[in-house]
Amino acid sequence: MKKTMPVKLKVFILALFLVCGHSSYSQNFVKRYLNNIINDTSDISKPQFLIYPTVAYAPETSWEFGLSSLLVFYAKQDTSNRLSEVNGFTFFTLENQYGLWFDHAIYSDEDNWFFLGRIRFQSFPLFYHGIGNQTPEDYIARVDANQIFIKERVLRKLKKDLFVGLEMDFQRLSSVDFIPAEGSNGIQDLPLGSQGSTNLGFGLGLVHDNRHNVLNVRKGFFSELALLHYNQAWGSTYDFTTVISDTRIYRPVGANNVFAAQILGQFNSGEVPFNQLALMGGESIMRGYYYGRYRDQNQLAAQFEYRFLPIPFNFTDRIGAVVFAGAGKVFPELRSFDLSDIVVSGGAGIRFLLFPKKDIYTRFDVALTQEGPGFYLFIGEAF
């Protein structure tokens, strides 16, 4: 059975109006709240906090209702420090699925410490197409499971823009149920980890980062090289090693435009469970493909984006646009990599300048692939 591309548009609603009712007090409160967001009247050095509800629909979840939040701030309210951000998202669906997500990039005063990570708890379906770069377009099984992801990097500044430190990754997949897709013949050989697994990895990370605003980089360079090892000696179900290389470059073009590019590589060795293979797709790189549509031991992917921030309209300076394209491949061994069967995607998007003083946009992207479109609405750029 072919999976319908989920239309997952997180829609801004006048949330507080819906929550608080129709009283004049509530309406005035909502007006003040929206005016503070739209007109961005706050002091640039002050922290800003945004909270709003979301509504989405996808065939595998039915209706999804959630609450999203964003906190942005400068350490010690000093704008010479880098802009830190914390994103939160919680949701539930009419199919009794739920989740809680937190992502963060936090810089201390004078960038002496850098904390980069994400925490996710969710009971949510995964679509399994098989392993490799030539798997069928139709998913062969839906995987129902409870998932926990905790990834944290604690990095210390060595010198200007260069950080080194410890990395930790914990992933647990439990209550796993592979449900064959309607009309399929089922799965002859279930992948490693199909009964669930718990894996804890420790390692080292080296990061070069001179970005000032991680949500909208106009000029800068970011590069991370990380090595993580998972071992049964400290409680992991499987023994394996992961190397991640992520490099991004941002160059201004004229007064408002930005050229951005990213190269991402993930290389695994050992016994890697299916949920921790190199997963390609998602809202950040190879947009248009479901996250995990392609999976294998290794991955190489690249993308570029040209941003018009903003477009010089006569009536407003808060509307922007982007065009983007990406290409990538998963493969079992380094020696087997070649340029055949490269997967490509591309598309365009519009931007709205949400916080003018902090130069933060919300994005709506439409990505096109050979398997159909994907739609994305988020705060901050894809990379």
Side-chain angles (χ1 to χ4, degrees), residues 70-248:
L70 172 68
L71 172 66
V72 290
F73 61 94
Y74 297 101
K76 293 190 173 181
Q77 298 187 14
D78 183 350
T79 57
S80 66
N81 287 318
R82 305 190 197 201
L83 186 67
S84 297
E85 54 98 4
V86 179
N87 283 295
F89 174 51
T90 184
F91 67 90
F92 71 92
T93 78
L94 297 186
E95 295 295 329
N96 296 317
Q97 299 144 346
Y98 53 86
L100 178 65
W101 298 4
F102 285 101
D103 294 357
H104 62 270
I106 299 173
Y107 300 89
S108 73
D109 187 37
E110 298 182 349
D111 307 328
N112 287 323
W113 292 93
F114 180 25
F115 303 90
L116 181 63
R118 61 177 46 185
I119 301 172
R120 296 188 176 183
F121 305 91
Q122 61 186 33
S123 176
F124 201 76
L126 309 171
F127 287 111
Y128 182 71
H129 294 254
I131 295 174
N133 205 62
Q134 297 183 344
T135 51
E137 179 179 345
D138 301 345
Y139 70 90
I140 59 178
R142 191 190 76 194
V143 184
D144 288 343
N146 296 326
Q147 305 161 63
I148 300 175
F149 309 80
I150 303 176
K151 184 168 185 177
E152 187 61 57
R153 308 159 180 90
V154 180
L155 305 168
R156 174 69 177 178
K157 183 171 71 174
L158 287 180
K159 60 179 184 178
K160 181 178 174 60
D161 301 330
L162 184 64
F163 303 83
V164 67
L166 299 177
E167 302 207 4
M168 183 276 290
D169 181 49
F170 175 82
Q171 297 196 31
R172 176 180 172 82
L173 195 69
S174 60
S175 303
V176 183
D177 186 13
F178 273 73
I179 303 172
E182 183 180 345
S184 74
N185 297 322
I187 304 175
Q188 303 303 318
D189 297 310
L190 290 173
L192 190 69
S194 61
Q195 302 303 312
S197 65
T198 299
N199 297 292
L200 176 62
F202 293 104
L204 296 174
L206 182 67
V207 173
H208 185 282
D209 183 14
N210 63 6
R211 302 170 299 171
H212 190 73
N213 177 355
V214 295
L215 291 175
N216 179 26
V217 188
R218 291 185 176 270
K219 180 180 180 180
F221 179 81
F222 172 89
S223 184
E224 177 185 17
L225 180 63
L227 184 147
L228 286 159
H229 181 64
Y230 305 78
N231 199 296
Q232 295 182 45
W234 50 71
S236 291
T237 305
Y238 301 105
D239 294 342
F240 61 99
T241 300
T242 298
V243 176
I244 297 174
S245 174
D246 183 358
T247 298
R248 312 174 189 185

